[in-house]
Coordinates of all heavy atoms in Angstrom, one line a residue:
R192 N -3.9 -6.3 -8.8 CA -2.8 -7.1 -8.3 C -1.8 -6.4 -7.5 O -1.0 -7.0 -6.8 CB -2.2 -7.8 -9.6 CG -0.9 -7.5 -10.0 CD -0.5 -8.5 -11.2 NE -0.1 -7.7 -12.3 CZ 1.1 -7.1 -12.5 NH1 2.0 -7.1 -11.5 NH2 1.3 -6.4 -13.6
E198 N -1.6 -8.0 1.9 CA -0.2 -8.1 2.1 C 0.6 -6.8 1.5 O 1.8 -6.7 1.7 CB 0.4 -9.4 1.6 CG 0.5 -9.5 0.1 CD -0.6 -10.4 -0.4 OE1 -1.7 -10.6 0.3 OE2 -0.4 -11.0 -1.5
M199 N -0.1 -6.1 0.7 CA 0.5 -5.0 0.0 C 0.3 -3.7 0.7 O 0.8 -2.6 0.3 CB 0.1 -4.8 -1.5 CG 0.5 -6.0 -2.3 SD 2.3 -6.3 -2.2 CE 3.0 -4.9 -3.1
H285 N 15.6 -7.7 -6.0 CA 15.4 -8.6 -7.1 C 16.3 -8.2 -8.3 O 16.6 -9.0 -9.1 CB 14.0 -8.8 -7.5 CG 13.4 -7.7 -8.3 ND1 12.6 -6.6 -7.6 CD2 13.5 -7.3 -9.6 CE1 12.3 -5.8 -8.5 NE2 12.8 -6.1 -9.7
A353 N 15.0 -17.4 -3.0 CA 13.8 -17.0 -3.8 C 13.0 -16.0 -3.0 O 12.5 -15.0 -3.6 CB 13.0 -18.3 -4.1
A354 N 12.9 -16.2 -1.7 CA 12.1 -15.2 -0.8 C 12.7 -13.8 -1.0 O 12.0 -12.8 -1.0 CB 12.1 -15.7 0.6
S356 N 14.3 -12.8 -3.6 CA 14.3 -12.4 -5.0 C 12.9 -12.0 -5.4 O 12.8 -11.5 -6.6 CB 14.7 -13.5 -5.9 OG 16.0 -14.1 -5.4
C357 N 11.9 -12.2 -4.6 CA 10.6 -11.9 -5.0 C 10.4 -10.4 -5.2 O 10.7 -9.6 -4.4 CB 9.6 -12.4 -3.9 SG 7.9 -12.0 -4.3
T358 N 9.7 -10.1 -6.4 CA 9.5 -8.7 -6.8 C 8.2 -8.1 -6.2 O 7.9 -7.0 -6.5 CB 9.5 -8.5 -8.3 OG1 8.3 -9.1 -8.8 CG2 10.7 -9.2 -9.0
E359 N 7.4 -9.0 -5.5 CA 6.1 -8.6 -5.0 C 5.2 -8.1 -6.1 O 4.3 -7.3 -5.9 CB 6.2 -7.6 -3.9 CG 6.9 -8.1 -2.7 CD 7.2 -7.1 -1.6 OE1 6.6 -6.0 -1.6 OE2 8.0 -7.4 -0.7
C360 N 5.4 -8.7 -7.3 CA 4.6 -8.2 -8.4 C 3.2 -8.7 -8.4 O 2.2 -8.1 -9.0 CB 5.2 -8.6 -9.8 SG 5.3 -10.4 -10.1
G361 N 2.9 -9.8 -7.7 CA 1.6 -10.4 -7.6 C 1.0 -11.1 -8.8 O -0.1 -11.5 -8.8
R362 N 1.9 -11.4 -9.8 CA 1.5 -12.2 -11.0 C 1.0 -13.6 -10.5 O 0.1 -14.2 -11.1 CB 2.5 -12.3 -12.0 CG 2.7 -11.0 -12.7 CD 3.9 -11.0 -13.8 NE 4.0 -9.8 -14.6 CZ 4.4 -8.7 -14.2 NH1 4.9 -8.6 -13.0 NH2 4.4 -7.6 -14.9
C363 N 1.7 -14.2 -9.5 CA 1.4 -15.5 -9.1 C 0.0 -15.5 -8.4 O -0.8 -16.4 -8.7 CB 2.4 -16.0 -8.1 SG 2.8 -14.8 -6.8
T364 N -0.3 -14.5 -7.6 CA -1.6 -14.4 -6.9 C -2.7 -14.2 -7.9 O -3.8 -14.7 -7.7 CB -1.5 -13.3 -5.8 OG1 -0.5 -13.7 -4.9 CG2 -2.8 -13.3 -5.0
E365 N -2.4 -13.4 -8.9 CA -3.4 -13.1 -9.9 C -3.8 -14.3 -10.6 O -5.0 -14.5 -11.0 CB -2.8 -12.1 -10.9 CG -3.8 -11.5 -11.8 CD -3.1 -10.5 -12.8 OE1 -2.0 -10.9 -13.4 OE2 -3.6 -9.4 -13.0
S377 N -2.5 -16.5 -1.0 CA -1.8 -15.7 -1.9 C -0.3 -16.2 -2.0 O 0.4 -16.1 -1.0 CB -1.8 -14.2 -1.5 OG -0.8 -13.5 -2.1
P378 N 0.1 -16.8 -3.1 CA 1.5 -17.2 -3.2 C 2.5 -16.1 -3.0 O 3.6 -16.4 -2.5 CB 1.6 -17.9 -4.6 CG 0.3 -17.6 -5.3 CD -0.7 -17.1 -4.3
R379 N 2.1 -14.9 -3.4 CA 3.0 -13.7 -3.1 C 3.3 -13.6 -1.6 O 4.3 -13.4 -1.1 CB 2.5 -12.4 -3.7 CG 3.2 -11.2 -3.2 CD 2.7 -9.9 -3.8 NE 1.3 -9.7 -3.9 CZ 0.7 -8.8 -4.6 NH1 1.4 -8.0 -5.3 NH2 -0.6 -8.7 -4.5
K380 N 2.1 -13.7 -0.8 CA 2.2 -13.6 0.6 C 3.1 -14.7 1.2 O 3.8 -14.5 2.2 CB 0.8 -13.6 1.2 CG 0.9 -13.5 2.7 CD -0.5 -13.5 3.3 CE -0.5 -13.7 4.8 NZ -0.1 -15.0 5.2
M382 N 5.7 -16.0 -0.1 CA 7.1 -15.6 -0.3 C 7.5 -14.5 0.7 O 8.5 -14.4 1.2 CB 7.4 -15.1 -1.8 CG 7.2 -16.2 -2.8 SD 7.8 -17.9 -2.4 CE 9.6 -17.5 -2.3
M383 N 6.6 -13.5 0.8 CA 6.9 -12.4 1.7 C 6.9 -12.8 3.2 O 7.8 -12.4 3.9 CB 5.7 -11.3 1.6 CG 5.7 -10.7 0.2 SD 4.3 -9.7 -0.1 CE 4.5 -8.2 0.8
C429 N 1.1 -20.5 -10.2 CA 1.9 -19.5 -9.6 C 3.4 -19.6 -10.2 O 4.0 -18.5 -10.5 CB 1.9 -19.5 -8.1 SG 2.3 -21.1 -7.4
V430 N 3.9 -20.8 -10.3 CA 5.2 -21.0 -10.8 C 5.3 -20.6 -12.2 O 6.3 -19.9 -12.6 CB 5.6 -22.5 -10.6 CG1 7.1 -22.7 -10.9 CG2 5.3 -23.0 -9.2
E431 N 4.3 -20.9 -12.9 CA 4.3 -20.6 -14.4 C 4.3 -19.1 -14.6 O 4.9 -18.5 -15.5 CB 3.1 -21.3 -15.0 CG 2.9 -21.1 -16.5 CD 4.1 -21.5 -17.3 OE1 4.8 -22.5 -16.9 OE2 4.3 -21.0 -18.4
A432 N 3.6 -18.4 -13.6 CA 3.4 -17.0 -13.8 C 4.6 -16.1 -13.4 O 4.7 -15.0 -13.8 CB 2.1 -16.5 -13.0
C433 N 5.4 -16.7 -12.6 CA 6.4 -15.9 -11.9 C 7.6 -15.4 -12.9 O 8.2 -16.3 -13.6 CB 7.2 -16.6 -10.8 SG 8.4 -15.6 -10.0
P434 N 7.9 -14.1 -13.0 CA 8.8 -13.6 -14.0 C 10.2 -13.9 -13.6 O 11.1 -13.8 -14.5 CB 8.6 -12.1 -14.1 CG 7.9 -11.8 -12.8 CD 7.1 -13.0 -12.4
V435 N 10.5 -14.4 -12.4 CA 11.9 -14.6 -12.0 C 12.0 -16.1 -11.4 O 12.9 -16.4 -10.7 CB 12.4 -13.6 -10.9 CG1 12.7 -12.3 -11.6 CG2 11.4 -13.5 -9.8
M436 N 11.1 -17.0 -11.9 CA 11.3 -18.4 -11.7 C 11.2 -18.8 -10.2 O 11.9 -19.7 -9.8 CB 12.6 -19.0 -12.3 CG 12.8 -18.6 -13.8 SD 11.6 -19.3 -14.9 CE 12.0 -21.0 -15.0
I437 N 10.3 -18.2 -9.5 CA 10.2 -18.5 -8.1 C 9.0 -19.6 -8.0 O 8.1 -19.5 -8.8 CB 9.8 -17.3 -7.2 CG1 11.0 -16.4 -7.2 CG2 9.3 -17.7 -5.9 CD1 10.7 -15.1 -6.5
S438 N 9.2 -20.5 -7.1 CA 8.1 -21.5 -6.9 C 7.6 -21.4 -5.4 O 8.1 -22.1 -4.6 CB 8.7 -22.9 -7.1 OG 7.7 -23.9 -6.7
P439 N 6.5 -20.6 -5.3 CA 5.9 -20.6 -3.9 C 5.3 -22.0 -3.6 O 5.3 -22.4 -2.4 CB 4.7 -19.6 -4.1 CG 5.1 -18.8 -5.3 CD 5.9 -19.7 -6.2
Ligands
SF4_662 S1 6.6 -15.1 -6.4 FE1 7.1 -14.3 -8.5 S2 5.1 -13.8 -9.4 FE2 4.8 -14.0 -7.2 S3 5.0 -11.9 -6.4 FE3 7.0 -12.9 -6.2 S4 8.1 -12.4 -8.2 FE4 5.9 -11.9 -8.5

Side-chain angles (χ1 to χ4, degrees):
R192 115 175 119 77
E198 73 257 23
M199 292 309 285
H285 75 264
S356 310
C357 177
T358 71
E359 294 175 14
C360 67
R362 285 176 173 79
C363 51
T364 302
E365 191 181 46
S377 162
R379 165 173 52 192
K380 179 178 166 291
M382 300 315 299
M383 292 166 76
C429 52
V430 186
E431 182 57 26
C433 181
V435 287
M436 310 295 287
I437 290 172
S438 172

